[in-house]
Amino acid sequence: MFRRTFWFTAGAAAGVWATTKVNRKLKQLTPESLAAQAANKAIETGHRLKDFALDVRAGMVQREAELGEALGLDAPVEPGTGRELPEPRRKTALGRAPHPTTHSISTISYNRNEDH
């Protein structure tokens, strides 16, 4: 008699456990739940991408500082050392020829037969 009661109770408990598991899984597979899960994953991915971008930017700034220090670009420029930028030149000093004058229509001969 106790054996039958034990197996009946064990079967009922297994049935309740299985039913609860199936109901939880069905709730997870509803469209609303799937949409919420996708939104949470998207937000999490966005945070990870933002953290990655900030890490890359910090690494870039650090590397740029290292390169500037190695090349001496961060050192103050003293006058007379030849490291200053040259004075800006005027456009006329660049050696450009003046803009060519336009020809009048009477000086240009146009032959339509040359196009073919």
Side-chain angles (χ1 to χ4, degrees):
M1 173 128 165
F2 285 110
R3 211 182 300 176
R4 288 183 186 173
T5 306
F6 171 75
W7 287 115
F8 177 77
T9 307
V16 169
W17 177 79
T19 304
T20 305
K21 262 315 213 182
V22 168
N23 285 335
R24 283 184 188 164
K25 191 54 100 173
L26 287 175
K27 285 181 183 178
Q28 287 180 353
L29 296 176
T30 60
E32 296 84 14
S33 178
L34 291 175
Q37 289 175 9
N40 289 338
K41 294 281 185 181
I43 290 171
E44 182 181 336
T45 303
H47 288 303
R48 287 183 181 178
L49 285 174
K50 181 182 175 185
D51 291 342
F52 174 72
L54 291 174
D55 289 345
V56 168
R57 181 165 290 184
M60 287 172 46
V61 169
Q62 179 183 0
R63 182 65 179 149
E64 185 176 345
E66 291 172 0
L67 290 173
E69 184 178 319
L71 296 174
L73 298 177
D74 292 336
V77 177
E78 298 175 9
T81 60
R83 293 185 62 193
E84 309 92 22
L85 292 175
E87 293 293 324
R89 297 186 291 177
R90 293 184 176 169
K91 288 184 180 182
T92 57
L94 293 177
R96 291 185 182 174
H99 188 64
T101 57
T102 56
H103 297 286
S104 65
I105 295 177
S106 63
T107 60
I108 299 174
S109 64
Y110 181 71
N111 186 355
R112 291 184 69 194
N113 292 329
E114 291 176 0
D115 290 344
H116 301 286

